[in-house]
Amino acid sequence: MPDHVSAQKQRAQAASESIAKPIVWSIAGNDSGGGAGLSADARAAEAFGVHLCPVVAAVTAQNSRAVTRVEPVSAELLDAQLAALADDLPPAAIKTGLLGSAANIAVVARWVGRLRERAPVALVVDPVLGASTGAAFAGEAALAAYRELLLPRATLVTPNRREAARLAGGGAAGGDVPALAAALRGTGAQAIAVTGGDDAAAAPGRSLDWIATPQAGGWLALPRVATPHTHGTGCTFATSAACALALGFVPADALVLAKMATTHALAHGYAAGQGAGPVAARPGFATEPALLPAMSWDESSQFSSCLRPPDTGQSPKTFEEIGLYAIVDSAERVRQVVAAGVRTVQLRIKTPDAPDAAWHAALRQSAADALAACRVAGATLVVNDHWRLAAELGEPSHLVVHLGQEDLLALGEAGRAELAASGLKLGISSHSLWELCRARALAPWYAACGPVWPTLTKAMPWVPQGLDNLAWWVRMAGMPVVAIGGILEPAQLELAARSGASGVCVVRGLGDDPATTVPRWQAALAAGRAAPPLPVPALPHPSLAP
């Protein structure tokens, strides 16, 4: 191929790739010291691989130690910047930082309305009300404009505790973080994250953010990064969330990624001047297992249920091998599959709408017979849903209970404590980033990742995870991962095994005669284990439509 033709194709490919990047507008202040504001936003956008349009709403005179002057740009100049971008570079998400004046807040609100008449646009509001040095950036007029114009339009608001209290009305909710978040959602904001990175006294050694979203609520927890270089932390968190929303993640998952990126940025902060240096978000943050947070289960709980993340330093290769994981609906089918060589089998018996005493007696007998068959074969029985029945069977060495996230939430803290005290191993379903984070808080025997492929076994809102998300789960979970959903052919199981999954589930593919089908599945499992591992993506893809 001639050099000029090759170069032309390379330029065309590069142009195509650049156009494919989601566009995020950051409407914020310029930091002359390069630490916070638009400088931090640009670093965060680079870490997520999106295109950032930096819109200057205010100019600051500052260095690493102090802010000496703040000048908002005129509302006319801000409007002109947004008008120039609107047709050529329309945003998938907008992040606001330091806006400088009530007039500028009004300009942003008008443009959000105009843009949403054309296409969906996520709005992340980082209410920059003052500097960490004490300089005030917003008076009562700006506070009123936030409450009346921006919060009702916000997809997500990311204040720290002090900012949340000011936005909610000074001493509103007595400073209680969940109550503050609830008050702010009452303004019309879809989701709130009250960040706690600047509140070391509240949770020594830990960084805790309270999230309240349409998908989930609770504490996101990671170890606190000990560093003097924290300039731009709030900007990085909000812009990271905006980038994730632009990539199609729902708010709860976007906040998981934002916490990961911000913690990574803190760990890579550096000195630049004599005061606090800037944090530095970098690509690749989402493949560091230690950065995946734990998440509390109960919105009313404090910190107790998000303090036991699993050992993130453990290699997936050292986890217990679960292997071919059969899911069946009767004790007789359990006997068939363990006789065929399966060593992990789930008994999934659906509960009728009005179960009577006879049904409960039959369920108990089926579970007991299935456990007896597994004991003889040296196999593990997984009981779906009915954990108290499993506990009554009294053989934790051969028993695991599998529960979905809604079932675990319904148990409440007392029920989850009772489950933990039973001594049963636990398997948990997970379909999204926030569900994986909640699973980590309970340190289960495994987390199921699904559906890997589309499945008709049950109706679910989830987008298929695919092999890329499965490989990401395996790397990041810090526990064994079981692949589930739509695995109908041995070739699919072989690919799932290449992800490093500890177990791979088969349901309908067992057929009428497991003695014939199981050897083929086992051969596919062995082939996948021997093949080169699948690549791990830099970022997972969304698993729930926004």
Side-chain angles (χ1 to χ4, degrees):
M1 180 183 300
D3 290 344
H4 72 280
V5 175
S6 177
Q8 187 177 28
K9 286 191 172 183
Q10 289 174 359
R11 286 193 297 271
Q13 181 178 355
S16 174
E17 290 173 353
S18 67
I19 292 170
K21 286 185 176 183
I23 293 171
V24 173
W25 290 1
S26 175
I27 310 172
N30 182 66
D31 173 357
S32 55
L38 293 170
S39 296
D41 298 344
R43 293 191 291 270
E46 181 67 22
F48 277 85
V50 309
H51 178 76
L52 186 89
C53 296
V55 179
V56 180
V59 177
T60 71
Q62 65 176 298
N63 54 34
S64 64
R65 293 179 296 178
V67 179
T68 60
R69 188 167 177 174
V70 177
E71 290 283 351
V73 304
S74 68
E76 293 77 15
L77 178 56
L78 178 59
D79 184 79
Q81 292 178 79
L82 301 180
L85 293 174
D87 291 328
D88 186 40
L89 293 160
I94 297 171
K95 175 260 183 180
T96 69
L98 172 58
L99 296 176
S101 69
N104 282 352
I105 292 172
V107 169
V108 173
R110 285 196 298 272
W111 271 105
V112 170
R114 292 170 186 166
L115 291 165
R116 284 177 172 171
E117 291 175 356
R118 308 177 190 179
V121 179
L123 173 63
V124 177
V125 176
D126 180 16
V128 181
L129 306 182
S132 58
T133 58
F137 292 158
E140 288 305 314
L143 279 172
Y146 269 114
R147 295 181 190 126
E148 296 169 12
L149 299 176
L150 278 194
L151 298 192
R153 293 172 167 82
T155 308
L156 171 65
V157 187
T158 63
N160 60 33
R161 188 188 299 242
R162 290 187 298 276
E163 291 166 341
R166 287 192 69 191
L167 286 171
D176 177 71
V177 170
L180 284 173
L184 292 177
R185 286 194 80 188
T187 66
Q190 293 179 32
I192 307 293
V194 181
T195 61
D198 62 338
D199 197 0
R206 286 170 280 135
S207 171
L208 293 167
D209 303 323
W210 177 264
I211 72 169
T213 78
Q215 299 80 37
W219 297 101
L220 283 178
L222 276 175
R224 182 173 292 275
V225 178
T227 175
H229 305 306
T230 58
H231 201 190
T233 305
C235 306
T236 298
F237 185 89
T239 303
S240 295
C243 291
L245 290 170
L247 289 166
F249 290 93
V250 295
D253 280 347
L255 287 167
V256 170
L257 290 170
K259 187 164 186 68
M260 294 175 69
T262 305
T263 305
H264 173 89
L266 282 160
H268 292 87
Y270 58 90
Q274 300 174 52
V279 300
R282 299 177 181 177
F285 70 90
T287 58
E288 296 184 19
L291 293 180
L292 188 67
M295 182 174 173
S296 66
W297 280 83
D298 199 314
E299 292 191 26
S300 65
S301 70
Q302 289 299 308
F303 313 135
S304 59
S305 63
C306 59
L307 299 183
R308 296 193 297 115
D311 180 8
T312 55
Q314 190 175 17
S315 165
K317 297 297 184 183
T318 66
F319 288 137
E320 183 175 349
E321 171 72 12
I322 294 173
L324 179 62
Y325 185 141
I327 299 179
V328 300
D329 59 3
S330 69
E332 176 57 31
R333 289 284 282 174
V334 170
R335 282 191 288 268
Q336 291 176 3
V337 296
V338 297
V342 174
R343 290 298 170 261
T344 305
V345 55
Q346 181 183 129
L347 179 63
R348 180 193 286 173
I349 296 178
K350 294 183 179 180
T351 304
D353 293 336
D356 55 17
W359 182 85
H360 281 289
L363 174 66
R364 183 180 301 275
Q365 187 61 56
S366 293
D369 292 346
L371 178 60
C374 287
R375 188 189 309 115
V376 171
T380 295
L381 176 67
V382 182
V383 176
N384 186 62
D385 289 346
H386 307 288
W387 73 268
R388 286 192 170 88
L389 170 59
E392 291 171 10
L393 295 176
E395 253 188 81
S397 60
H398 283 285
L399 273 172
V400 178
V401 62
H402 181 94
L403 290 173
Q405 300 247 345
E406 290 183 358
D407 297 319
L408 280 161
L409 281 170
L411 286 178
E413 286 200 59
R416 289 189 294 274
E418 184 184 353
L419 173 60
S422 73
L424 290 168
K425 294 179 182 178
L426 177 63
I428 302 178
S429 299
S430 67
H431 310 88
S432 61
L433 305 189
W434 88 81
E435 286 196 343
L436 181 58
C437 292
R438 283 199 305 211
R440 284 165 65 83
L442 298 181
W445 186 48
Y446 69 78
C449 174
V452 181
W453 284 279
T455 177
L456 300 177
T457 302
K458 60 171 72 173
M460 292 188 291
W462 309 101
V463 174
Q465 300 274 20
L467 293 168
D468 55 338
N469 272 17
L470 178 60
W472 191 89
W473 246 247
V474 169
R475 178 175 176 84
M476 301 296 292
M479 68 189 90
V481 169
V482 169
I484 187 170
I487 301 169
L488 304 176
E489 300 291 339
Q492 292 173 291
L493 187 142
E494 181 177 340
L495 288 170
R498 287 183 59 192
S499 74
S502 176
V504 185
C505 293
V506 178
V507 187
R508 287 179 292 164
L510 294 168
D512 295 329
D513 182 13
T516 300
T517 60
V518 165
R520 293 200 293 269
W521 291 111
Q522 297 281 29
L525 181 69
R529 292 279 188 262
L534 297 177
V536 178
L539 283 169
H541 69 251
S543 56
L544 189 63

